[in-house]
Amino acid sequence: GAVVSQHPSWVICKSGTSVKIECRSLDFQATTMFWYRQFPKQSLMLMATSNEGSKATYEQGVEKDKFLINHASLTLSTLTVTSAHPEDSSFYICSASDRGTGNSPLHFGNGTRLTVT
Amino acid sequence: GQNIDQPTEMTATEGAIVQINCTYQTSGFNGLFWYQQHAGEAPTFLSYNVLDGLEEKGRFSSFLSRSKGYSYLLLKELQMKDSASYLCAVRDSNYQLIWGAGTKLIIKP
């Protein structure tokens, strides 16, 4: 089945630094990947849709200059949290679907737990 | 607007059966998904329905009625490891996934 790999699984950084999270589709090509954020005991929140070879589409209220998304290839999308602050501490999850198999489900990476001190 | 409703929390007993309902109002319909999410982990795919009826996969079954905008996830022979949140999501006419807030299922011995 389709596998999505996300790295790192957890990261602790100091306030003001930047953190890059990678999302890879291992056995399929993903023209579109999705980035979610989830705070404790809350539902998934779509942050942005990452499109290969073009600019990402951000959801309302998500700062595109703070959450930089790059989707340079059909198997890799990256999310960079710039100038991180403690309120950015959250669980970040990427996902992708294998469009080559029709109405395929969204497969998720294992998530990245970010803690900003 | 688009909306997906599912109960916030449910409790069931180990070995029993539980049904988690999901109702939706979306702009178009291109399939309904159920995901399981354990605390602190990413969601994992459970089932997919695009036509009316019941899809069975082991202890889990999912039902869809498009005319009623309704689905349920049925879990049989409950095990303690089934304690998790269950997320209902609908793919709309733009192929965007609309997520429910999830149902936290608590299994008691």
Side-chain angles (χ1 to χ4, degrees):
Chain A
V3 177
V4 176
S5 173
Q6 188 172 341
H7 179 80
S9 55
W10 61 271
V11 59
I12 300 173
C13 71
K14 292 186 176 180
S15 187
T17 60
S18 295
V19 174
K20 180 186 281 188
I21 302 170
E22 292 188 349
C23 181
R24 295 180 185 273
S25 56
L26 296 185
D27 52 358
F28 65 98
Q29 293 183 332
T31 55
T32 303
M33 292 185 175
F34 303 90
W35 287 96
Y36 290 87
R37 180 168 54 183
Q38 188 174 35
F39 292 104
K41 299 185 179 180
Q42 294 188 22
S43 60
L44 289 171
M45 279 179 40
L46 179 65
M47 297 176 65
T49 302
S50 169
N51 303 297
E52 187 269 335
S54 64
K55 291 183 178 180
T57 304
Y58 290 81
E59 295 300 302
Q60 194 172 10
V62 179
E63 300 174 57
K64 62 180 181 180
D65 294 330
K66 180 170 183 63
F67 299 99
L68 301 179
I69 291 173
N70 183 282
H71 194 157
S73 78
L74 286 171
T75 59
L76 174 63
S77 174
T78 62
L79 168 68
T80 301
V81 183
T82 63
S83 187
H85 291 286
E87 57 264 32
D88 298 324
S89 297
S90 187
F91 191 44
Y92 293 85
I93 318 171
C94 74
S95 64
S97 65
D98 183 358
R99 289 295 182 94
T101 55
N103 280 325
S104 56
L106 212 56
H107 293 280
F108 288 86
N110 287 331
T112 298
R113 188 161 303 284
L114 171 64
T115 302
V116 184
T117 60
Chain B
Q2 307 202 89
N3 192 52
I4 296 186
D5 287 316
Q6 50 181 131
T8 304
E9 187 173 298
M10 299 182 70
T11 302
T13 305
E14 188 177 16
I17 299 173
V18 71
Q19 177 174 312
I20 303 175
N21 295 324
C22 170
T23 57
Y24 63 90
Q25 299 98 39
T26 56
S27 303
F29 178 83
N30 278 300
L32 184 145
F33 302 85
W34 284 97
Y35 285 82
Q36 180 191 60
Q37 185 177 25
H38 285 100
E41 298 180 12
T44 55
F45 169 71
L46 286 179
S47 68
Y48 168 69
N49 295 70
V50 67
L51 299 176
D52 290 351
L54 188 68
E55 293 282 342
E56 296 186 77
K57 192 185 291 186
R59 294 189 297 115
F60 294 4
S61 304
S62 57
F63 171 83
L64 174 67
S65 169
R66 288 171 296 171
S67 62
K68 295 181 180 178
Y70 166 70
S71 172
Y72 68 72
L73 179 68
L74 190 72
L75 293 76
K76 303 176 185 176
E77 301 170 16
L78 286 171
Q79 301 175 11
M80 298 303 292
K81 67 178 183 179
D82 297 329
S83 292
S85 286
Y86 291 86
L87 310 174
C88 173
V90 173
R91 188 173 270 162
D92 68 10
S93 58
N94 294 321
Y95 274 77
Q96 298 295 316
L97 260 189
I98 312 301
W99 291 90
T103 299
K104 182 180 180 181
L105 177 63
I106 300 169
I107 310 295
K108 295 186 174 180

